[in-house]
Amino acid sequence: MLKGIAVSDGIGIGKAIIIKEKIPEYNDRTVSDISAEILRLDNALSEFCRSTELLARKIEQSVGANEADIIRGHISIVKDPYFIGECEKLIKEGKCAEAAFENVSDMFITIFSSAAEELIRQRAADMRDVKNSVLKNLMGIQSTQLSSLPGNSVIITEELTPSMISELDKGKISAFVTETGGVTSHSAIIAKMMEIPAVMSVQNAVSILNDGETIIVDGIKGTVIRSPDDAELKKYIDLQIGYNKEKQSLELFRGKPCTCASGERFDVFCNIGKAEEANAAVENDGEGIGLMRSEFLFMNRNTAPTEQQQFEEYKKAAIIAGGRPVIIRTLDVGGDKSIPYLGIPQEDNPFLGLRAVRYCLKNIPVFKQQIRAILRASCFGNIKIMFPMISEISELRKCKAVVEECKDELKEEGISFDRDIKTGIMVETPAAAICADILAKECDFFSIGTNDLTGYVMSCDRGNESVSELYSCFQPAVLRMIEQTIKCAKNEHIPVGMCGEAAADPLMIPILMSFGLDEFSVSPSSVLKVKKYISSFSIDKANNIRENVISMSTVNEIIQYIKNSYQ
Ligand code: PEP
Ligand code: MG
């Protein structure tokens, strides 16, 4: 059995198709006709842009606009004036177009690969994809014909490039296995959208596995089984049937209000990164947007989006949500989300540094631009403003003062906005959870950010594998913080939601129900699952679980106890 990272769930069974994308050696020569060589590169790049745009359109129709934008991102790489300038510089020094393009691409791959942020490191994979495609164009090589695969193919490849995926016929693929890539890589996102099981970062998969052998891909556990015996095959076919049945059973919950077994009502909202994703929220039955991570709009660009660009994006989310609440979180930069042009200095402890509102309150023009854009968009739907990383009441007051200042400006300019717009906070620092009684008096709502709260309460980095055993939302310390926060919100009669990953954890759900959480905000693909989990507990049963759990002292004890309650 080979192990990797589970990035797209489900069980895939089929025959291995090994894809070795090998670029033939080119003839590295010195050129004398500089303009002819530049023209050759121009033509190869134009061809690349043309075929990539075609692929993007295909993806737009079959998968979605967001995924198409990922592919279009490749076009912007080769249109970057600095990139082109560097290639031309090398050609002018006598290098052939292939060598010039490869050298400059490799330089970018090295820079991206050594970045501290995972998101930027993954851009190295995109750059490699672009490099291979353009080199093939320069050498007149046709790409691998992936569209004519036999049915039930399990694709085994070093790297699943977005352009490769877009050539594939979805109906013929049972699963993907790759040697590189992780949960947030572009190919993982697309595999998930295509609903094809995928396991990535499986070491040496291409050389270990053989073309044509039977492969089982467990996209839930992150394992790959080669040439299974009959018993193993039967076990996985049963698991596959069970998984597919479970998926179908979720359809029962579509279009119905979310109620638990004893009839109490809960809201299930969605977390999104871009306005476009509000479509997935609506399609998957989300009753609102509980978290729009606005920083996504600021990423992967060289300057901040203008007020008008932000306005368009927030307006789009509000319109797609069609009157459902849309909670826009103000810029949560810092921590692991670095946005170079915002000029945050290098910090020893970025998670404890100039992050989120701490940055915004020191950079008022950036903050005001965003608040103005949100206010302007508020006429087009039910928008609310949420401040991240609040740790004391004076921060909240300062943020609200900025909102008031922007309202006054807009009034003077005769621009309309929702004068009654609600403002709330993410409770994601221990300080906010402990002082939730003070904060609740001046907030219209709370949303508990367990991703950060868990890290801060347990004093362990949320992305550091070596302390991952401490990082659990089932830690008694974290559960107490959540309980305390919900209690304080209830005392002040304000709604309280949760937008951290814990809101979709089936083992956490009964505890949250019993604490009195009003709204669960989860990824669009988890909405129906969360509705199903909620429906399986009555409030009495949830209360009983909570009473027992809250007196337990270890994560293992708690998890084991709730697992047993599901049986
Ligand atoms: C959280 O911290 O729980 C949260 C939802 O915010 P993010 O993951 O964007 O930090
Ligand atoms: Mg957070």
PDB file of all heavy atoms in Angstrom, residues 263-281:
ATOM      1  N   GLY A 263     -36.511  18.857  16.097  1.00  0.00           N
ATOM      2  CA  GLY A 263     -37.212  19.932  15.399  1.00  0.00           C
ATOM      3  C   GLY A 263     -36.603  21.321  15.495  1.00  0.00           C
ATOM      4  O   GLY A 263     -37.046  22.244  14.801  1.00  0.00           O
ATOM      5  N   GLU A 264     -35.586  21.523  16.344  1.00  0.00           N
ATOM      6  CA  GLU A 264     -34.987  22.869  16.445  1.00  0.00           C
ATOM      7  C   GLU A 264     -34.247  23.200  15.140  1.00  0.00           C
ATOM      8  O   GLU A 264     -33.687  22.339  14.490  1.00  0.00           O
ATOM      9  CB  GLU A 264     -34.000  22.951  17.625  1.00  0.00           C
ATOM     10  CG  GLU A 264     -34.659  23.056  18.978  1.00  0.00           C
ATOM     11  CD  GLU A 264     -35.149  21.708  19.520  1.00  0.00           C
ATOM     12  OE1 GLU A 264     -34.967  20.674  18.820  1.00  0.00           O
ATOM     13  OE2 GLU A 264     -35.737  21.691  20.610  1.00  0.00           O
ATOM     14  N   ARG A 265     -34.263  24.478  14.817  1.00  0.00           N
ATOM     15  CA  ARG A 265     -33.745  24.946  13.531  1.00  0.00           C
ATOM     16  C   ARG A 265     -32.321  25.479  13.678  1.00  0.00           C
ATOM     17  O   ARG A 265     -32.000  26.164  14.641  1.00  0.00           O
ATOM     18  CB  ARG A 265     -34.717  26.043  13.071  1.00  0.00           C
ATOM     19  CG  ARG A 265     -34.415  26.735  11.794  1.00  0.00           C
ATOM     20  CD  ARG A 265     -35.087  26.042  10.616  1.00  0.00           C
ATOM     21  NE  ARG A 265     -34.967  26.899   9.437  1.00  0.00           N
ATOM     22  CZ  ARG A 265     -33.854  27.021   8.731  1.00  0.00           C
ATOM     23  NH1 ARG A 265     -32.760  26.380   9.062  1.00  0.00           N
ATOM     24  NH2 ARG A 265     -33.838  27.820   7.672  1.00  0.00           N
ATOM     25  N   PHE A 266     -31.459  25.164  12.711  1.00  0.00           N
ATOM     26  CA  PHE A 266     -30.097  25.720  12.668  1.00  0.00           C
ATOM     27  C   PHE A 266     -29.855  26.273  11.264  1.00  0.00           C
ATOM     28  O   PHE A 266     -30.497  25.839  10.304  1.00  0.00           O
ATOM     29  CB  PHE A 266     -29.056  24.628  12.966  1.00  0.00           C
ATOM     30  CG  PHE A 266     -29.149  24.103  14.370  1.00  0.00           C
ATOM     31  CD1 PHE A 266     -29.984  23.026  14.678  1.00  0.00           C
ATOM     32  CD2 PHE A 266     -28.426  24.692  15.390  1.00  0.00           C
ATOM     33  CE1 PHE A 266     -30.089  22.549  15.972  1.00  0.00           C
ATOM     34  CE2 PHE A 266     -28.527  24.217  16.703  1.00  0.00           C
ATOM     35  CZ  PHE A 266     -29.360  23.140  16.985  1.00  0.00           C
ATOM     36  N   ASP A 267     -28.938  27.218  11.151  1.00  0.00           N
ATOM     37  CA  ASP A 267     -28.589  27.741   9.823  1.00  0.00           C
ATOM     38  C   ASP A 267     -27.312  27.076   9.336  1.00  0.00           C
ATOM     39  O   ASP A 267     -26.373  26.907  10.125  1.00  0.00           O
ATOM     40  CB  ASP A 267     -28.332  29.255   9.880  1.00  0.00           C
ATOM     41  CG  ASP A 267     -29.622  30.026  10.074  1.00  0.00           C
ATOM     42  OD1 ASP A 267     -30.668  29.565   9.585  1.00  0.00           O
ATOM     43  OD2 ASP A 267     -29.578  31.089  10.727  1.00  0.00           O
ATOM     44  N   VAL A 268     -27.271  26.727   8.048  1.00  0.00           N
ATOM     45  CA  VAL A 268     -26.015  26.235   7.471  1.00  0.00           C
ATOM     46  C   VAL A 268     -25.605  27.203   6.358  1.00  0.00           C
ATOM     47  O   VAL A 268     -26.305  27.347   5.353  1.00  0.00           O
ATOM     48  CB  VAL A 268     -26.130  24.789   6.940  1.00  0.00           C
ATOM     49  CG1 VAL A 268     -24.751  24.298   6.486  1.00  0.00           C
ATOM     50  CG2 VAL A 268     -26.675  23.857   8.008  1.00  0.00           C
ATOM     51  N   PHE A 269     -24.513  27.910   6.601  1.00  0.00           N
ATOM     52  CA  PHE A 269     -23.991  28.901   5.665  1.00  0.00           C
ATOM     53  C   PHE A 269     -22.727  28.346   5.003  1.00  0.00           C
ATOM     54  O   PHE A 269     -22.273  27.268   5.324  1.00  0.00           O
ATOM     55  CB  PHE A 269     -23.640  30.192   6.421  1.00  0.00           C
ATOM     56  CG  PHE A 269     -24.826  31.064   6.789  1.00  0.00           C
ATOM     57  CD1 PHE A 269     -26.127  30.574   6.787  1.00  0.00           C
ATOM     58  CD2 PHE A 269     -24.631  32.387   7.160  1.00  0.00           C
ATOM     59  CE1 PHE A 269     -27.205  31.377   7.133  1.00  0.00           C
ATOM     60  CE2 PHE A 269     -25.699  33.212   7.509  1.00  0.00           C
ATOM     61  CZ  PHE A 269     -26.986  32.709   7.503  1.00  0.00           C
ATOM     62  N   CYS A 270     -22.155  29.164   4.092  1.00  0.00           N
ATOM     63  CA  CYS A 270     -20.940  28.720   3.397  1.00  0.00           C
ATOM     64  C   CYS A 270     -19.777  29.692   3.565  1.00  0.00           C
ATOM     65  O   CYS A 270     -19.984  30.901   3.668  1.00  0.00           O
ATOM     66  CB  CYS A 270     -21.212  28.592   1.899  1.00  0.00           C
ATOM     67  SG  CYS A 270     -22.283  27.211   1.538  1.00  0.00           S
ATOM     68  N   ASN A 271     -18.583  29.128   3.510  1.00  0.00           N
ATOM     69  CA  ASN A 271     -17.361  29.939   3.462  1.00  0.00           C
ATOM     70  C   ASN A 271     -16.937  30.042   2.000  1.00  0.00           C
ATOM     71  O   ASN A 271     -16.883  29.017   1.310  1.00  0.00           O
ATOM     72  CB  ASN A 271     -16.225  29.255   4.224  1.00  0.00           C
ATOM     73  CG  ASN A 271     -16.518  29.121   5.706  1.00  0.00           C
ATOM     74  OD1 ASN A 271     -17.410  29.792   6.231  1.00  0.00           O
ATOM     75  ND2 ASN A 271     -15.786  28.266   6.377  1.00  0.00           N
ATOM     76  N   ILE A 272     -16.637  31.250   1.546  1.00  0.00           N
ATOM     77  CA  ILE A 272     -16.173  31.401   0.164  1.00  0.00           C
ATOM     78  C   ILE A 272     -14.943  32.314   0.121  1.00  0.00           C
ATOM     79  O   ILE A 272     -14.693  33.069   1.071  1.00  0.00           O
ATOM     80  CB  ILE A 272     -17.273  31.964  -0.785  1.00  0.00           C
ATOM     81  CG1 ILE A 272     -17.718  33.379  -0.362  1.00  0.00           C
ATOM     82  CG2 ILE A 272     -18.476  31.033  -0.852  1.00  0.00           C
ATOM     83  CD1 ILE A 272     -18.592  34.069  -1.401  1.00  0.00           C
ATOM     84  N   GLY A 273     -14.197  32.214  -1.001  1.00  0.00           N
ATOM     85  CA  GLY A 273     -13.025  33.066  -1.172  1.00  0.00           C
ATOM     86  C   GLY A 273     -13.312  34.190  -2.148  1.00  0.00           C
ATOM     87  O   GLY A 273     -12.909  35.324  -1.943  1.00  0.00           O
ATOM     88  N   LYS A 274     -14.069  33.856  -3.197  1.00  0.00           N
ATOM     89  CA  LYS A 274     -14.364  34.853  -4.230  1.00  0.00           C
ATOM     90  C   LYS A 274     -15.867  34.915  -4.453  1.00  0.00           C
ATOM     91  O   LYS A 274     -16.571  33.922  -4.219  1.00  0.00           O
ATOM     92  CB  LYS A 274     -13.713  34.439  -5.541  1.00  0.00           C
ATOM     93  CG  LYS A 274     -12.248  34.744  -5.627  1.00  0.00           C
ATOM     94  CD  LYS A 274     -11.773  34.272  -6.970  1.00  0.00           C
ATOM     95  CE  LYS A 274     -10.423  34.843  -7.341  1.00  0.00           C
ATOM     96  NZ  LYS A 274     -10.087  34.453  -8.711  1.00  0.00           N
ATOM     97  N   ALA A 275     -16.332  36.037  -5.004  1.00  0.00           N
ATOM     98  CA  ALA A 275     -17.769  36.221  -5.239  1.00  0.00           C
ATOM     99  C   ALA A 275     -18.359  35.070  -6.049  1.00  0.00           C
ATOM    100  O   ALA A 275     -19.435  34.556  -5.754  1.00  0.00           O
ATOM    101  CB  ALA A 275     -17.999  37.541  -5.955  1.00  0.00           C
ATOM    102  N   GLU A 276     -17.599  34.655  -7.059  1.00  0.00           N
ATOM    103  CA  GLU A 276     -18.053  33.590  -7.954  1.00  0.00           C
ATOM    104  C   GLU A 276     -18.470  32.335  -7.192  1.00  0.00           C
ATOM    105  O   GLU A 276     -19.410  31.632  -7.567  1.00  0.00           O
ATOM    106  CB  GLU A 276     -16.870  33.252  -8.872  1.00  0.00           C
ATOM    107  CG  GLU A 276     -17.189  32.466 -10.095  1.00  0.00           C
ATOM    108  CD  GLU A 276     -17.936  33.300 -11.107  1.00  0.00           C
ATOM    109  OE1 GLU A 276     -17.508  34.438 -11.408  1.00  0.00           O
ATOM    110  OE2 GLU A 276     -18.956  32.783 -11.563  1.00  0.00           O
ATOM    111  N   GLU A 277     -17.753  32.063  -6.085  1.00  0.00           N
ATOM    112  CA  GLU A 277     -18.044  30.840  -5.324  1.00  0.00           C
ATOM    113  C   GLU A 277     -19.396  30.895  -4.635  1.00  0.00           C
ATOM    114  O   GLU A 277     -19.885  29.877  -4.142  1.00  0.00           O
ATOM    115  CB  GLU A 277     -16.943  30.577  -4.293  1.00  0.00           C
ATOM    116  CG  GLU A 277     -15.640  30.160  -4.920  1.00  0.00           C
ATOM    117  CD  GLU A 277     -14.476  30.214  -3.943  1.00  0.00           C
ATOM    118  OE1 GLU A 277     -14.672  29.995  -2.743  1.00  0.00           O
ATOM    119  OE2 GLU A 277     -13.369  30.516  -4.403  1.00  0.00           O
ATOM    120  N   ALA A 278     -20.006  32.081  -4.587  1.00  0.00           N
ATOM    121  CA  ALA A 278     -21.352  32.168  -4.002  1.00  0.00           C
ATOM    122  C   ALA A 278     -22.313  31.306  -4.824  1.00  0.00           C
ATOM    123  O   ALA A 278     -23.311  30.803  -4.307  1.00  0.00           O
ATOM    124  CB  ALA A 278     -21.824  33.617  -3.959  1.00  0.00           C
ATOM    125  N   ASN A 279     -21.985  31.097  -6.115  1.00  0.00           N
ATOM    126  CA  ASN A 279     -22.813  30.207  -6.944  1.00  0.00           C
ATOM    127  C   ASN A 279     -22.830  28.804  -6.353  1.00  0.00           C
ATOM    128  O   ASN A 279     -23.889  28.184  -6.237  1.00  0.00           O
ATOM    129  CB  ASN A 279     -22.249  30.118  -8.370  1.00  0.00           C
ATOM    130  CG  ASN A 279     -22.572  31.361  -9.176  1.00  0.00           C
ATOM    131  OD1 ASN A 279     -23.727  31.789  -9.198  1.00  0.00           O
ATOM    132  ND2 ASN A 279     -21.579  31.939  -9.817  1.00  0.00           N
ATOM    133  N   ALA A 280     -21.628  28.303  -5.986  1.00  0.00           N
ATOM    134  CA  ALA A 280     -21.544  26.952  -5.411  1.00  0.00           C
ATOM    135  C   ALA A 280     -22.306  26.906  -4.095  1.00  0.00           C
ATOM    136  O   ALA A 280     -22.952  25.898  -3.780  1.00  0.00           O
ATOM    137  CB  ALA A 280     -20.091  26.562  -5.195  1.00  0.00           C
ATOM    138  N   ALA A 281     -22.256  28.005  -3.340  1.00  0.00           N
ATOM    139  CA  ALA A 281     -22.976  28.044  -2.057  1.00  0.00           C
ATOM    140  C   ALA A 281     -24.473  27.894  -2.306  1.00  0.00           C
ATOM    141  O   ALA A 281     -25.140  27.070  -1.666  1.00  0.00           O
ATOM    142  CB  ALA A 281     -22.680  29.351  -1.339  1.00  0.00           C
TER     143      ALA A 281
END
